[in-house]
Amino acid sequence: MKKRFVIILSWAIALPLFAQTPVYLNPAAPIEDRVEDALQRMTREEKVAMLHAQSKFSAPGVPRLGIPENWMSDGPHGIRAEVLWDEWYGANWTNDSCIAFPALTALAASWNPDMAALYGKSIGEEARYRNKNVLLGPGVNIYRTPLNGRNFEYMGEDPYLAAQMVVPYIKEVQRNGVAACVKHFALNNQEIYRNHINVQVSARALHEIYLPAFKAAIQQGGAWAIMGAYNQYKNQHCCHNRYLLNDILKRDWGFDGVVVSDWGGVHNTEEAIANGLDMEFGTWTNGLNWGKSDVYNQYYLAQPYLELLKNGQAGEDVLNDKVRRILRLVFRTNMAPNRPYGSFGTQAHAETGRRIAEEGIVLLQNNRNVLPVDLSKVKNILVVGENAVKKMTTGGGSSSLKVKYEVSPLAGIQARVGSVAQVTYVKGYESPAEGEQDVKNAKKPEAKTIDAKALRAEAVNAAKSADVVLFIGGLNKNAGQDCEGDDRKTLDLPYAQNELIAALAKANPNMVVVIISGNAVAMPWAVQAPAIVEAWYNGTEAGNAIAAVLFGDVNPSGKLPFTFPARLQDNSAHAAGDYPGDGKNVTYHDDIFVGYRWLDKEKIKPLFAFGHGLSYTMFQYGEVSVNKSKITAAETITFTLSVKNTGTRDGAEVVQLYISDKKASLPRPVKELKGFKKVYLKAGETQTVSFTIDHAALSFYDDAKGAWITEPGAFEALVGASSADIKTDVAFEIKR
Ligand code: BGC
């Protein structure tokens, strides 16, 4: 009663105040009213000023009206350190050390939308506390080739999985009054030639494979911002691309937010005005480490735009549309009522990161049950590999972070083992040292010869007397590995790791290989190494999460969000020799057959399939049943089965539903993921799992009609533990 009285009283005091307040300053007024009110108070100069950067990561507000600046930050797995106003170098603040969350491949590997929500909530809180109102992420470009240096920032090869995971991330980020800026729209599937390469792809592949995660981000996630990609489509840069921005994004999808350019992705004033760009950043830079100084006034959407407006060559309507969008962003974020304050670098965020990491780590192989390591039997543990100690939260390009702390795998293992067993570390291999990213006048590391043979001999020798060998290697964030700006050159592990792993496996049969990467790698030694784990880039708590899985405190439940092909030529982008194009164009001849869709079609056995991941327990799938065997295109259909944990440990299984269209007027993939559920089962427990789908899961995009089509005919629902491990299926039909 008392509380109610206080609320009424405060409104009684506030209302007359609001009555005199301009509408745009009234937090209780509808956003669109605030936008219109602010817009009509602004001068043309003030409007144009909002459209382009004033520093590396900010754009002006309207100081005269008390409308604040817009501040952006990378993204996508932590809040980047402050850089200088007009330079890429770190500003050396002492209060900007963040929590690094697992990279997005790791999140996708959890196959758990609840983890995506937790992730979004936490990173949103970090962004909010640091006063950033736009988070430059998440990234949902489809994993087309394992060589792409930025795959670790994305959510894998399947549009359905990426769409399911991106939506909760965005919703939770934005609850903080921070806009998620989904990137890079679109077709930015390789780093090589990224600034100009023109992607030639069918409308069908565009709509079925490359756009669904973006569409879900906008329509279901309600993203308030999106970033244009560097590359071209239909010979137009994606940051000012009529088809992608005006036609698809703004017209067809009804996007009312802001299109932000990638940093240095704008090339032309007229196109930028006409083709849907709203905010321009990083012009005349490569987005990472070079740039012309203090040229903001010369940006394509700065003085040149003003000139065109003044001499009547550009209209006010288009300008007003852009400004409305930016004002909407401001009222949704910086000037939103009841905006929470956020929190930064907290233990709670670190623990969230660890939980996500533990759910995303994938047990790829576990012959002879080498894992989990049993500390009641093992007394002498050898850890080998540079990645056991190498920092992985720095480097890699724009996602590089300054972290509060980072637990290395070795530190995690040592902390977990304590004095119960002896842990010895030898390097085994070494990568060439690189200068620090984002540091002014960073010292070039001294050139040093790495004696791979000697390093290997030392490790092999130590392996002979160990009870178990934990090899921790993979890729890293050096240039040419999992790093923005370039692609990998080969599927193979770098730094002579293949030879080392084979030799270690020969020296000691109790061999565990932990790969840290954001990409598939070749594993010619997979037959020799009994246990293989994919542990991703897991951020601040990486080492503790790895140790928890290796020693069995956590039962692994991650599943691969992309295929590990046995050979590079088994991947669709490489099979037809498309990749990387001729420098001007790259043609996607694989069309809709990307990832497992390609391997299914070509009947190629992967090294590890999309959706694959083992557990320390076992699951038994019952037979799937269907509620109706025939439906109309307007009806939904439900598939049900039971899943039992038949082992002795509690665990979680990701039950996957694939749909197969038996006959269609256009070629269709053998099967496509259309549902998944992560079920937690106690040892011996059985649960019923069901999936309800509608026509959207059964339809395909018809280029000729420019529309999604649901065709009558025979279908099959396939339920399994991976795309290559279907356990049960049932037929159904769409009636004519
Ligand atoms: C990247 C973006 C990033 C931007 C700002 C660009 O190089 O492509 O993903 O958000 O830089 O750092």
Side-chain angles (χ1 to χ4, degrees), residues 57 73-75 80 88 136-137 150 153 183-184 188 191 194 227 230 262-263 286-288 398 484:
F57 282 100
S73 175
D74 288 301
R80 190 174 179 170
W88 287 111
L136 303 175
R150 288 190 92 173
E153 293 186 62
K183 64 192 191 184
H184 307 91
N188 184 184
E191 285 297 282
R194 71 171 177 176
M227 185 189 290
Y230 280 130
D262 201 342
W263 269 234
N286 71 347
L288 276 179
S398 58
E484 181 178 343

PDB file of all heavy atoms in Angstrom, residues 57 73-75 80 88 136-137 150 153 183-184 188 191 194 227 230 262-263 286-288 398 484, ligand 1:
ATOM      1  N   PHE A  57      36.060   4.922 -32.532  1.00  0.00           N
ATOM      2  CA  PHE A  57      34.904   4.104 -32.167  1.00  0.00           C
ATOM      3  C   PHE A  57      33.669   4.899 -31.733  1.00  0.00           C
ATOM      4  O   PHE A  57      32.757   4.331 -31.161  1.00  0.00           O
ATOM      5  CB  PHE A  57      35.275   3.109 -31.054  1.00  0.00           C
ATOM      6  CG  PHE A  57      36.044   1.925 -31.564  1.00  0.00           C
ATOM      7  CD1 PHE A  57      37.424   1.855 -31.432  1.00  0.00           C
ATOM      8  CD2 PHE A  57      35.397   0.879 -32.202  1.00  0.00           C
ATOM      9  CE1 PHE A  57      38.131   0.774 -31.924  1.00  0.00           C
ATOM     10  CE2 PHE A  57      36.091  -0.205 -32.691  1.00  0.00           C
ATOM     11  CZ  PHE A  57      37.471  -0.264 -32.558  1.00  0.00           C
ATOM     12  N   SER A  73      31.873  -0.757 -29.395  1.00  0.00           N
ATOM     13  CA  SER A  73      33.031  -1.549 -28.966  1.00  0.00           C
ATOM     14  C   SER A  73      32.973  -2.952 -29.549  1.00  0.00           C
ATOM     15  O   SER A  73      31.914  -3.568 -29.586  1.00  0.00           O
ATOM     16  CB  SER A  73      33.075  -1.659 -27.438  1.00  0.00           C
ATOM     17  OG  SER A  73      34.133  -2.521 -27.068  1.00  0.00           O
ATOM     18  N   ASP A  74      34.143  -3.449 -29.977  1.00  0.00           N
ATOM     19  CA  ASP A  74      34.209  -4.889 -30.259  1.00  0.00           C
ATOM     20  C   ASP A  74      34.063  -5.577 -28.931  1.00  0.00           C
ATOM     21  O   ASP A  74      34.435  -5.020 -27.891  1.00  0.00           O
ATOM     22  CB  ASP A  74      35.570  -5.224 -30.894  1.00  0.00           C
ATOM     23  CG  ASP A  74      35.622  -4.689 -32.324  1.00  0.00           C
ATOM     24  OD1 ASP A  74      34.777  -5.093 -33.117  1.00  0.00           O
ATOM     25  OD2 ASP A  74      36.499  -3.860 -32.620  1.00  0.00           O
ATOM     26  N   GLY A  75      33.552  -6.724 -28.856  1.00  0.00           N
ATOM     27  CA  GLY A  75      32.882  -7.595 -29.794  1.00  0.00           C
ATOM     28  C   GLY A  75      33.845  -8.585 -30.489  1.00  0.00           C
ATOM     29  O   GLY A  75      35.024  -8.322 -30.605  1.00  0.00           O
ATOM     30  N   ARG A  80      36.367  -4.706 -25.799  1.00  0.00           N
ATOM     31  CA  ARG A  80      37.738  -4.352 -26.178  1.00  0.00           C
ATOM     32  C   ARG A  80      38.281  -3.207 -25.307  1.00  0.00           C
ATOM     33  O   ARG A  80      37.513  -2.337 -24.875  1.00  0.00           O
ATOM     34  CB  ARG A  80      37.708  -3.921 -27.647  1.00  0.00           C
ATOM     35  CG  ARG A  80      39.057  -3.755 -28.280  1.00  0.00           C
ATOM     36  CD  ARG A  80      38.890  -3.484 -29.770  1.00  0.00           C
ATOM     37  NE  ARG A  80      40.174  -3.285 -30.400  1.00  0.00           N
ATOM     38  CZ  ARG A  80      40.355  -3.214 -31.711  1.00  0.00           C
ATOM     39  NH1 ARG A  80      39.327  -3.323 -32.527  1.00  0.00           N
ATOM     40  NH2 ARG A  80      41.556  -3.038 -32.213  1.00  0.00           N
ATOM     41  N   TRP A  88      44.727   3.322 -33.324  1.00  0.00           N
ATOM     42  CA  TRP A  88      44.315   1.978 -32.942  1.00  0.00           C
ATOM     43  C   TRP A  88      44.962   1.507 -31.651  1.00  0.00           C
ATOM     44  O   TRP A  88      44.563   0.517 -31.079  1.00  0.00           O
ATOM     45  CB  TRP A  88      44.674   0.985 -34.054  1.00  0.00           C
ATOM     46  CG  TRP A  88      43.786   1.127 -35.228  1.00  0.00           C
ATOM     47  CD1 TRP A  88      44.126   1.599 -36.455  1.00  0.00           C
ATOM     48  CD2 TRP A  88      42.385   0.828 -35.292  1.00  0.00           C
ATOM     49  NE1 TRP A  88      43.033   1.617 -37.272  1.00  0.00           N
ATOM     50  CE2 TRP A  88      41.954   1.146 -36.591  1.00  0.00           C
ATOM     51  CE3 TRP A  88      41.452   0.324 -34.378  1.00  0.00           C
ATOM     52  CZ2 TRP A  88      40.637   0.972 -37.009  1.00  0.00           C
ATOM     53  CZ3 TRP A  88      40.148   0.153 -34.786  1.00  0.00           C
ATOM     54  CH2 TRP A  88      39.751   0.476 -36.080  1.00  0.00           C
ATOM     55  N   LEU A 136      29.796  -4.471 -31.072  1.00  0.00           N
ATOM     56  CA  LEU A 136      30.056  -4.900 -32.451  1.00  0.00           C
ATOM     57  C   LEU A 136      30.113  -6.425 -32.522  1.00  0.00           C
ATOM     58  O   LEU A 136      31.163  -7.041 -32.587  1.00  0.00           O
ATOM     59  CB  LEU A 136      31.330  -4.241 -32.976  1.00  0.00           C
ATOM     60  CG  LEU A 136      31.293  -2.707 -32.923  1.00  0.00           C
ATOM     61  CD1 LEU A 136      32.632  -2.101 -33.331  1.00  0.00           C
ATOM     62  CD2 LEU A 136      30.172  -2.158 -33.792  1.00  0.00           C
ATOM     63  N   GLY A 137      28.987  -7.021 -32.476  1.00  0.00           N
ATOM     64  CA  GLY A 137      28.819  -8.458 -32.519  1.00  0.00           C
ATOM     65  C   GLY A 137      27.371  -8.760 -32.201  1.00  0.00           C
ATOM     66  O   GLY A 137      26.615  -7.836 -31.900  1.00  0.00           O
ATOM     67  N   ARG A 150      38.603 -15.928 -39.712  1.00  0.00           N
ATOM     68  CA  ARG A 150      37.681 -15.391 -38.705  1.00  0.00           C
ATOM     69  C   ARG A 150      36.568 -16.350 -38.302  1.00  0.00           C
ATOM     70  O   ARG A 150      35.640 -15.943 -37.599  1.00  0.00           O
ATOM     71  CB  ARG A 150      37.039 -14.086 -39.200  1.00  0.00           C
ATOM     72  CG  ARG A 150      38.002 -12.949 -39.212  1.00  0.00           C
ATOM     73  CD  ARG A 150      37.313 -11.629 -39.470  1.00  0.00           C
ATOM     74  NE  ARG A 150      36.937 -10.963 -38.230  1.00  0.00           N
ATOM     75  CZ  ARG A 150      36.434  -9.718 -38.182  1.00  0.00           C
ATOM     76  NH1 ARG A 150      36.219  -9.054 -39.289  1.00  0.00           N
ATOM     77  NH2 ARG A 150      36.148  -9.160 -37.025  1.00  0.00           N
ATOM     78  N   GLU A 153      35.041 -16.338 -34.796  1.00  0.00           N
ATOM     79  CA  GLU A 153      34.117 -15.286 -34.345  1.00  0.00           C
ATOM     80  C   GLU A 153      32.673 -15.582 -34.749  1.00  0.00           C
ATOM     81  O   GLU A 153      31.787 -14.778 -34.478  1.00  0.00           O
ATOM     82  CB  GLU A 153      34.519 -13.948 -34.948  1.00  0.00           C
ATOM     83  CG  GLU A 153      35.845 -13.415 -34.457  1.00  0.00           C
ATOM     84  CD  GLU A 153      36.105 -12.014 -34.987  1.00  0.00           C
ATOM     85  OE1 GLU A 153      35.324 -11.110 -34.660  1.00  0.00           O
ATOM     86  OE2 GLU A 153      37.073 -11.839 -35.739  1.00  0.00           O
ATOM     87  N   LYS A 183      27.079  -8.929 -37.319  1.00  0.00           N
ATOM     88  CA  LYS A 183      28.027  -8.698 -38.408  1.00  0.00           C
ATOM     89  C   LYS A 183      28.414 -10.004 -39.065  1.00  0.00           C
ATOM     90  O   LYS A 183      28.199 -11.056 -38.470  1.00  0.00           O
ATOM     91  CB  LYS A 183      29.244  -7.934 -37.897  1.00  0.00           C
ATOM     92  CG  LYS A 183      30.106  -8.662 -36.857  1.00  0.00           C
ATOM     93  CD  LYS A 183      31.080  -7.685 -36.231  1.00  0.00           C
ATOM     94  CE  LYS A 183      32.123  -8.400 -35.412  1.00  0.00           C
ATOM     95  NZ  LYS A 183      33.020  -7.476 -34.712  1.00  0.00           N
ATOM     96  N   HIS A 184      28.990 -10.026 -40.263  1.00  0.00           N
ATOM     97  CA  HIS A 184      29.201  -8.931 -41.220  1.00  0.00           C
ATOM     98  C   HIS A 184      28.270  -9.217 -42.374  1.00  0.00           C
ATOM     99  O   HIS A 184      28.442 -10.245 -43.036  1.00  0.00           O
ATOM    100  CB  HIS A 184      30.645  -8.913 -41.708  1.00  0.00           C
ATOM    101  CG  HIS A 184      31.640  -8.899 -40.558  1.00  0.00           C
ATOM    102  ND1 HIS A 184      32.172 -10.031 -39.982  1.00  0.00           N
ATOM    103  CD2 HIS A 184      32.182  -7.857 -39.861  1.00  0.00           C
ATOM    104  CE1 HIS A 184      33.011  -9.701 -39.008  1.00  0.00           C
ATOM    105  NE2 HIS A 184      33.038  -8.391 -38.912  1.00  0.00           N
ATOM    106  N   ASN A 188      30.632 -12.523 -46.051  1.00  0.00           N
ATOM    107  CA  ASN A 188      32.038 -12.332 -45.688  1.00  0.00           C
ATOM    108  C   ASN A 188      32.574 -13.676 -45.178  1.00  0.00           C
ATOM    109  O   ASN A 188      32.729 -13.889 -43.992  1.00  0.00           O
ATOM    110  CB  ASN A 188      32.122 -11.238 -44.618  1.00  0.00           C
ATOM    111  CG  ASN A 188      33.532 -10.859 -44.221  1.00  0.00           C
ATOM    112  OD1 ASN A 188      33.726 -10.045 -43.330  1.00  0.00           O
ATOM    113  ND2 ASN A 188      34.531 -11.425 -44.866  1.00  0.00           N
ATOM    114  N   GLU A 191      38.744 -14.194 -45.507  1.00  0.00           N
ATOM    115  CA  GLU A 191      39.464 -12.963 -45.213  1.00  0.00           C
ATOM    116  C   GLU A 191      40.329 -12.522 -46.387  1.00  0.00           C
ATOM    117  O   GLU A 191      40.501 -11.334 -46.617  1.00  0.00           O
ATOM    118  CB  GLU A 191      40.318 -13.150 -43.955  1.00  0.00           C
ATOM    119  CG  GLU A 191      39.501 -13.143 -42.686  1.00  0.00           C
ATOM    120  CD  GLU A 191      38.799 -11.805 -42.446  1.00  0.00           C
ATOM    121  OE1 GLU A 191      39.453 -10.858 -41.995  1.00  0.00           O
ATOM    122  OE2 GLU A 191      37.587 -11.724 -42.746  1.00  0.00           O
ATOM    123  N   ARG A 194      39.332  -9.686 -48.733  1.00  0.00           N
ATOM    124  CA  ARG A 194      38.035  -9.350 -48.142  1.00  0.00           C
ATOM    125  C   ARG A 194      37.529  -7.950 -48.501  1.00  0.00           C
ATOM    126  O   ARG A 194      36.331  -7.713 -48.521  1.00  0.00           O
ATOM    127  CB  ARG A 194      38.062  -9.501 -46.620  1.00  0.00           C
ATOM    128  CG  ARG A 194      38.878  -8.431 -45.898  1.00  0.00           C
ATOM    129  CD  ARG A 194      38.677  -8.521 -44.396  1.00  0.00           C
ATOM    130  NE  ARG A 194      39.507  -7.542 -43.696  1.00  0.00           N
ATOM    131  CZ  ARG A 194      39.481  -7.346 -42.404  1.00  0.00           C
ATOM    132  NH1 ARG A 194      38.705  -8.075 -41.638  1.00  0.00           N
ATOM    133  NH2 ARG A 194      40.247  -6.445 -41.830  1.00  0.00           N
ATOM    134  N   MET A 227      26.058  -4.639 -39.096  1.00  0.00           N
ATOM    135  CA  MET A 227      27.265  -4.109 -39.743  1.00  0.00           C
ATOM    136  C   MET A 227      27.399  -4.667 -41.155  1.00  0.00           C
ATOM    137  O   MET A 227      27.308  -5.879 -41.360  1.00  0.00           O
ATOM    138  CB  MET A 227      28.509  -4.493 -38.933  1.00  0.00           C
ATOM    139  CG  MET A 227      29.803  -3.885 -39.477  1.00  0.00           C
ATOM    140  SD  MET A 227      31.286  -4.549 -38.679  1.00  0.00           S
ATOM    141  CE  MET A 227      31.143  -3.845 -37.047  1.00  0.00           C
ATOM    142  N   TYR A 230      32.796  -6.145 -45.631  1.00  0.00           N
ATOM    143  CA  TYR A 230      33.811  -5.497 -46.473  1.00  0.00           C
ATOM    144  C   TYR A 230      33.647  -5.840 -47.957  1.00  0.00           C
ATOM    145  O   TYR A 230      33.945  -5.036 -48.827  1.00  0.00           O
ATOM    146  CB  TYR A 230      35.206  -5.962 -46.052  1.00  0.00           C
ATOM    147  CG  TYR A 230      35.774  -5.273 -44.837  1.00  0.00           C
ATOM    148  CD1 TYR A 230      36.316  -6.014 -43.784  1.00  0.00           C
ATOM    149  CD2 TYR A 230      35.813  -3.887 -44.755  1.00  0.00           C
ATOM    150  CE1 TYR A 230      36.876  -5.389 -42.678  1.00  0.00           C
ATOM    151  CE2 TYR A 230      36.369  -3.255 -43.648  1.00  0.00           C
ATOM    152  CZ  TYR A 230      36.905  -4.013 -42.614  1.00  0.00           C
ATOM    153  OH  TYR A 230      37.455  -3.392 -41.526  1.00  0.00           O
ATOM    154  N   ASP A 262      31.390  -1.500 -41.821  1.00  0.00           N
ATOM    155  CA  ASP A 262      32.601  -2.043 -41.222  1.00  0.00           C
ATOM    156  C   ASP A 262      33.662  -0.954 -41.327  1.00  0.00           C
ATOM    157  O   ASP A 262      33.545  -0.027 -42.122  1.00  0.00           O
ATOM    158  CB  ASP A 262      33.048  -3.345 -41.887  1.00  0.00           C
ATOM    159  CG  ASP A 262      33.960  -4.147 -40.951  1.00  0.00           C
ATOM    160  OD1 ASP A 262      34.493  -3.549 -39.993  1.00  0.00           O
ATOM    161  OD2 ASP A 262      34.141  -5.358 -41.162  1.00  0.00           O
ATOM    162  N   TRP A 263      34.704  -1.098 -40.534  1.00  0.00           N
ATOM    163  CA  TRP A 263      35.696  -0.019 -40.402  1.00  0.00           C
ATOM    164  C   TRP A 263      36.552   0.086 -41.671  1.00  0.00           C
ATOM    165  O   TRP A 263      37.437  -0.731 -41.903  1.00  0.00           O
ATOM    166  CB  TRP A 263      36.552  -0.271 -39.165  1.00  0.00           C
ATOM    167  CG  TRP A 263      36.006   0.366 -37.917  1.00  0.00           C
ATOM    168  CD1 TRP A 263      36.697   1.213 -37.093  1.00  0.00           C
ATOM    169  CD2 TRP A 263      34.702   0.258 -37.331  1.00  0.00           C
ATOM    170  NE1 TRP A 263      35.891   1.636 -36.063  1.00  0.00           N
ATOM    171  CE2 TRP A 263      34.671   1.074 -36.175  1.00  0.00           C
ATOM    172  CE3 TRP A 263      33.529  -0.423 -37.683  1.00  0.00           C
ATOM    173  CZ2 TRP A 263      33.535   1.213 -35.376  1.00  0.00           C
ATOM    174  CZ3 TRP A 263      32.404  -0.290 -36.897  1.00  0.00           C
ATOM    175  CH2 TRP A 263      32.414   0.510 -35.757  1.00  0.00           C
ATOM    176  N   ASN A 286      42.299   0.069 -42.446  1.00  0.00           N
ATOM    177  CA  ASN A 286      41.984  -1.325 -42.733  1.00  0.00           C
ATOM    178  C   ASN A 286      41.223  -1.935 -41.568  1.00  0.00           C
ATOM    179  O   ASN A 286      41.117  -3.136 -41.443  1.00  0.00           O
ATOM    180  CB  ASN A 286      43.258  -2.136 -43.009  1.00  0.00           C
ATOM    181  CG  ASN A 286      44.061  -2.348 -41.747  1.00  0.00           C
ATOM    182  OD1 ASN A 286      43.822  -1.717 -40.732  1.00  0.00           O
ATOM    183  ND2 ASN A 286      45.022  -3.232 -41.814  1.00  0.00           N
ATOM    184  N   GLY A 287      40.750  -1.087 -40.679  1.00  0.00           N
ATOM    185  CA  GLY A 287      39.957  -1.577 -39.559  1.00  0.00           C
ATOM    186  C   GLY A 287      40.795  -2.097 -38.411  1.00  0.00           C
ATOM    187  O   GLY A 287      40.280  -2.415 -37.358  1.00  0.00           O
ATOM    188  N   LEU A 288      42.082  -2.195 -38.616  1.00  0.00           N
ATOM    189  CA  LEU A 288      42.886  -2.832 -37.589  1.00  0.00           C
ATOM    190  C   LEU A 288      44.067  -1.993 -37.118  1.00  0.00           C
ATOM    191  O   LEU A 288      44.200  -1.716 -35.938  1.00  0.00           O
ATOM    192  CB  LEU A 288      43.450  -4.162 -38.114  1.00  0.00           C
ATOM    193  CG  LEU A 288      42.539  -5.352 -38.013  1.00  0.00           C
ATOM    194  CD1 LEU A 288      43.216  -6.567 -38.594  1.00  0.00           C
ATOM    195  CD2 LEU A 288      42.180  -5.611 -36.557  1.00  0.00           C
ATOM    196  N   SER A 398      40.391  -7.673 -34.496  1.00  0.00           N
ATOM    197  CA  SER A 398      39.547  -6.747 -33.737  1.00  0.00           C
ATOM    198  C   SER A 398      38.921  -7.379 -32.498  1.00  0.00           C
ATOM    199  O   SER A 398      38.429  -6.671 -31.627  1.00  0.00           O
ATOM    200  CB  SER A 398      38.453  -6.176 -34.639  1.00  0.00           C
ATOM    201  OG  SER A 398      37.684  -7.216 -35.187  1.00  0.00           O
ATOM    202  N   GLU A 484      42.023 -12.368 -37.893  1.00  0.00           N
ATOM    203  CA  GLU A 484      41.416 -11.482 -38.885  1.00  0.00           C
ATOM    204  C   GLU A 484      42.462 -10.987 -39.889  1.00  0.00           C
ATOM    205  O   GLU A 484      43.622 -10.818 -39.555  1.00  0.00           O
ATOM    206  CB  GLU A 484      40.815 -10.278 -38.144  1.00  0.00           C
ATOM    207  CG  GLU A 484      40.131  -9.302 -39.041  1.00  0.00           C
ATOM    208  CD  GLU A 484      39.508  -8.138 -38.266  1.00  0.00           C
ATOM    209  OE1 GLU A 484      39.324  -8.259 -37.038  1.00  0.00           O
ATOM    210  OE2 GLU A 484      39.206  -7.127 -38.902  1.00  0.00           O
TER     211      GLU A 484
HETATM  212  C1  BGC B   1      36.246  -5.753 -38.312  1.00  0.00           C
HETATM  213  C2  BGC B   1      34.975  -5.589 -37.518  1.00  0.00           C
HETATM  214  C3  BGC B   1      35.250  -4.788 -36.287  1.00  0.00           C
HETATM  215  C4  BGC B   1      35.835  -3.441 -36.699  1.00  0.00           C
HETATM  216  C5  BGC B   1      36.121  -2.512 -35.556  1.00  0.00           C
HETATM  217  C6  BGC B   1      36.959  -4.438 -38.552  1.00  0.00           C
HETATM  218  O1  BGC B   1      38.233  -4.679 -39.021  1.00  0.00           O
HETATM  219  O2  BGC B   1      35.965  -6.394 -39.533  1.00  0.00           O
HETATM  220  O3  BGC B   1      34.462  -6.846 -37.186  1.00  0.00           O
HETATM  221  O4  BGC B   1      34.099  -4.654 -35.523  1.00  0.00           O
HETATM  222  O5  BGC B   1      37.036  -3.666 -37.386  1.00  0.00           O
HETATM  223  O6  BGC B   1      37.196  -2.960 -34.819  1.00  0.00           O
END
